[in-house]
């Protein structure tokens, strides 16, 4: 997968800065923000700070009674006019409104740069009452993402970034259009008091320590409280073999799987089930290039009821010899792996996936013959695996066959201690052969009893009138069911 690129030319659905739309809240905000954070009024950075951060001229975006300055080179997309527009986090852009249910995203995107999404949240009267007078906001530094909801016109904001300085300068220019008065540089600071806001359907839905939410509360639309009702979907109707990997009783392995950047619509899931039985879902991470889109706890439950198996993936820090912004540091590789595992668990729990679920780290391609690259990657994945196991989750790794998949087989020890083995290995070898053979990179003697193979790269296809772009997998490893 290619590193993130800067800039994109306007295309279908692009709008001028003066145009605006009024649509429901951007679903990706659900993951980024923390409940109950009030926004005090402070002085906003001036336009010079934005120009310095952007390195170019600026354009003024008007939306829902607000204005905000963004770099002049960023395209602006009105999503109501282009319902298939993919909201991409690997290209600088502004998105106005709610993404469509059938985004047409390239399958193998990775990387995260500065983007801005604005929408109008639809809040119930109870949620409006619980919203603090100056809104809620939170910065998720682990995912390189922030989210906020402001009470005036219920403005919902989602922003991603590679380096935080640019997006902070952009958010600092947010003003009320009628008066030109700065709104909230607290969006930039994020150092604000917390309080309970369990009912908020936008930013406040994300659980976080100290956020004031009761343990096990439903966090996303339609998500049940943690308990017997929730666990029925997770632990019943499965059989556990001696490898302690759980497969659905009615799902005969191996099965065909598909890998899309963002979750397809439920209509697509119904139409495509006769051809595929497993689907990748991307929880997030600092190098995840797509948002949640349709993904929610309710979407997962509905898909599971159809018979789908899930391959949950987290796109964390990448190899030190790549060009990704979030990279593994040689001296901190193992703690970074543990931190990524904890963040992946946080996101998985928000989607209703608890202890016993498998989580895959997405480690993109790198040159494995570089020892300065291979050893830190193996140490990172060792920390990832150990932390997931310590917290009751199953560990998986996705990688190109010639990169981390090969290195996990070659390294028995790293930095003086044995390497923890993931429960399941998902490797990409685009040889077009629908089998589980990984030679010459992945060998059967390396101790990975359960494999998934991505055997074919991106291709478009229509089934039942629904088109998707996807990578093809053969699945004989751990899945969430």
């Amino acid at each position: 997968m290619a590193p993130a690129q800067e800039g994109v030319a306007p295309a279908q659905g692009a709008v001028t800065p003066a145009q605006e739309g009024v649509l429901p809240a951007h679903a990706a905000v659900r993951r980024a923000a923390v409940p109950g954070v009030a926004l005090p009024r402070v002085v906003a950075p001036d336009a010079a700070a934005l120009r310095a951060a952007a390195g170019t001229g600026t354009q003024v975006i008007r939306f829902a009674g607000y204005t905000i300055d963004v770099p002049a080179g960023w395209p602006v997309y009105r999503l109501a006019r282009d319902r298939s527009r993919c909201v991409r986090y690997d290209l600088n852009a502004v998105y106005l409104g709610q993404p469509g249910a059938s985004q047409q995203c390239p399958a193998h995107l990775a990387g995260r740069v500065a983007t801005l999404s604005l929408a109008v949240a639809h809040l119930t009267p109870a949620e409006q009452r619980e919203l603090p007078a100056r809104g809620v906001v939170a910065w998720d530094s682990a995912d390189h993402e922030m989210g906020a909801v402001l009470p005036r016109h219920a403005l919902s904001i989602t922003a991603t970034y590679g380096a935080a300085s640019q997006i902070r300068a952009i958010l600092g220019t947010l003003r009320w259009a009628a008066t030109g008065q700065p709104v909230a540089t607290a969006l930039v600071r994020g150092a604000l008091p917390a309080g309970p806001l369990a009912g908020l359907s936008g930013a406040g839905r994300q659980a976080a320590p100290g956020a004031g939410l009761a343990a096990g509360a439903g966090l996303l639309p339609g998500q049940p409280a943690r308990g017997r009702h929730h666990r029925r979907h997770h632990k019943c109707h499965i059989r556990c073999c001696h490898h302690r990997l759980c497969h659905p009783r009615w799902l005969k392995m191996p099965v065909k799987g598909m890998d899309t950047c963002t979750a397809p619509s439920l209509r697509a899931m119904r139409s495509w089930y006769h051809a595929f039985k497993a689907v990748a879902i991307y929880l997030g991470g600092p190098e995840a290039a797509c948002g949640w889109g349709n993904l929610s706890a309710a979407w997962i439950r509905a898909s599971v009821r159809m018979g789908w198996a899930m391959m949950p993936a987290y796109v964390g820090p990448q190899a030190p010899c790549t060009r990704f912004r979030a990279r593994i540091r040689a001296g901190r590789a193992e703690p970074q792996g543990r931190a990524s595992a904890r963040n992946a668990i946080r996101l998985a729990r928000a989607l209703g996936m608890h202890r016993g679920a498998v989580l895959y780290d997405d480690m993109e391609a790198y040159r494995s013959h570089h020892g300065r690259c291979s050893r830190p990657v193996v140490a990172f994945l060792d920390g990832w695996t150990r932390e997931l196991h310590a917290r009751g989750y199953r560990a998986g790794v996705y990688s190109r066959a010639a990169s981390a998949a090969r290195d996990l087989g070659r390294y028995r020890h790293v930095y003086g201690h044995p390497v923890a083995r993931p429960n399941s290995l998902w490797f990409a070898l685009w040889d077009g052969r629908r089998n589980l053979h990984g030679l010459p990179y992945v060998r059967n003697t390396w101790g990975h009893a359960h494999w998934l193979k991505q055997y074919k790269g991106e291709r478009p296809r229509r089934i039942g009138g629904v088109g998707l772009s996807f990578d093809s997998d053969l699945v004989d490893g751990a899945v969430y069911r």
Side-chain angles (χ1 to χ4, degrees):
M1 300 181 189
Q5 303 175 32
E6 299 288 340
V8 63
Q12 183 183 358
V15 302
T16 62
Q19 294 174 318
E20 64 175 309
V22 180
L23 294 168
H26 191 307
V29 178
R30 293 194 300 250
R31 297 189 298 123
V34 178
V37 182
L39 296 177
R41 185 182 304 167
V42 292
V43 177
D46 57 26
L50 172 59
R51 287 194 296 269
T56 183
T58 62
Q59 57 178 322
V60 179
I61 305 298
R62 299 179 182 273
F63 184 83
Y66 295 84
T67 67
I68 192 168
D69 299 344
V70 301
W74 287 22
V76 183
Y77 298 107
R78 183 198 288 270
L79 299 179
R81 294 182 175 178
D82 187 0
R83 303 305 291 161
S84 63
R85 166 66 54 187
C86 177
V87 177
R88 295 178 58 166
Y89 295 160
D90 63 329
L91 299 173
N92 299 131
V94 178
Y95 300 95
L96 302 180
Q98 183 184 24
S102 301
Q103 296 183 53
Q104 295 299 309
C105 294
H108 47 276
L109 298 178
R112 184 161 284 198
V113 298
T115 70
L116 181 66
S117 299
L118 304 176
V120 173
H122 284 180
L123 304 180
T124 66
E127 291 169 344
Q128 291 175 351
R129 288 193 298 269
E130 292 182 2
L131 185 65
R134 292 180 180 172
V136 294
V137 63
W139 286 78
D140 187 346
S141 58
D143 266 12
H144 291 197
E145 185 172 0
M146 67 79 60
V149 175
L150 304 184
R152 188 167 182 173
H153 303 301
L155 180 68
S156 171
I157 303 171
T158 300
T160 64
Y161 55 89
S165 58
Q166 183 183 26
I167 204 67
R168 287 180 185 275
I170 291 171
L171 292 171
T173 67
L174 186 68
R175 299 172 182 271
W176 287 327
T179 64
Q181 182 180 8
V183 175
T185 303
L187 289 173
V188 177
R189 290 186 175 182
L192 304 168
L197 195 60
L200 184 62
S201 64
R205 286 291 193 175
Q206 177 58 52
L213 293 177
L219 303 176
L220 298 173
Q223 177 180 337
R226 190 183 311 174
R228 184 177 302 174
H229 173 72
H230 169 76
R231 291 181 181 179
R232 182 179 68 234
H233 296 289
H234 175 56
K235 289 191 175 180
C236 292
H237 309 301
I238 58 176
R239 60 178 176 84
C240 293
C241 64
H242 66 282
H243 294 291
R244 297 179 60 80
L245 291 176
C246 298
H247 299 283
R249 179 178 297 166
W250 59 85
L251 195 62
K252 184 178 180 181
M253 292 288 186
V255 297
K256 292 174 62 177
M258 65 177 185
D259 183 351
T260 60
C261 189
T262 191
S265 67
L266 287 176
R267 177 194 170 198
M269 299 297 283
R270 284 189 290 269
S271 297
W272 283 59
Y273 180 70
H274 76 274
F276 297 88
K277 296 295 183 287
V279 62
I281 55 174
Y282 286 89
L283 307 178
E287 295 296 350
C290 294
W292 277 9
N294 300 305
L295 186 61
S296 67
W299 182 94
I300 290 176
R301 290 197 309 276
S303 299
V304 166
R305 284 194 293 268
M306 295 178 201
W308 284 95
M310 305 289 159
M311 303 176 286
Y314 177 83
V315 192
Q318 299 299 306
C321 56
T322 64
R323 295 183 180 179
F324 289 96
R325 285 187 177 270
R327 294 192 295 269
I328 299 167
R329 296 168 54 190
R332 298 279 301 164
E334 195 266 348
Q336 279 184 288
R338 289 184 177 272
S340 290
R342 290 191 294 271
N343 194 46
I345 289 172
R346 174 178 64 87
L347 297 171
R349 284 176 175 169
L351 291 168
M353 293 183 288
H354 297 281
R355 292 171 60 91
V358 61
L359 303 178
Y360 288 88
D361 179 79
D362 183 335
M363 186 64 61
E364 295 297 322
Y366 62 89
R367 296 182 178 179
S368 62
H369 64 273
H370 288 299
R372 69 180 182 86
C373 209
S374 294
R375 279 189 292 274
V377 167
V378 173
F380 175 92
L381 295 175
D382 174 72
W384 164 269
T385 299
R386 292 181 185 277
E387 187 70 16
L388 287 177
H389 287 173
R391 293 174 180 267
Y393 284 76
R394 308 192 188 282
V397 171
Y398 167 86
S399 169
R400 181 183 174 188
S403 298
R406 176 164 62 177
D407 284 340
L408 281 172
R410 296 193 304 181
Y411 283 81
R412 297 296 180 179
H413 294 77
V414 63
Y415 299 138
H417 66 269
V419 175
R421 296 293 169 188
N423 300 100
S424 193
L425 179 64
W426 178 10
F427 62 90
L429 182 60
W430 292 356
D431 58 5
R433 299 176 180 176
R434 200 168 70 200
N435 57 40
L436 296 171
H437 299 161
L439 295 175
Y441 309 107
V442 182
R443 302 183 182 277
N444 296 339
T445 58
W446 284 355
H448 301 291
H450 294 268
W451 288 0
L452 301 82
K453 178 183 176 181
Q454 189 181 90
Y455 62 89
K456 186 179 294 186
E458 181 180 0
R459 60 184 178 125
R461 185 175 173 185
R462 295 187 70 84
I463 297 179
V466 181
L468 292 175
S469 180
F470 63 99
D471 297 330
S472 299
D473 302 282
L474 188 64
V475 179
D476 192 25
V479 296
Y480 176 79
R481 194 63 180 82

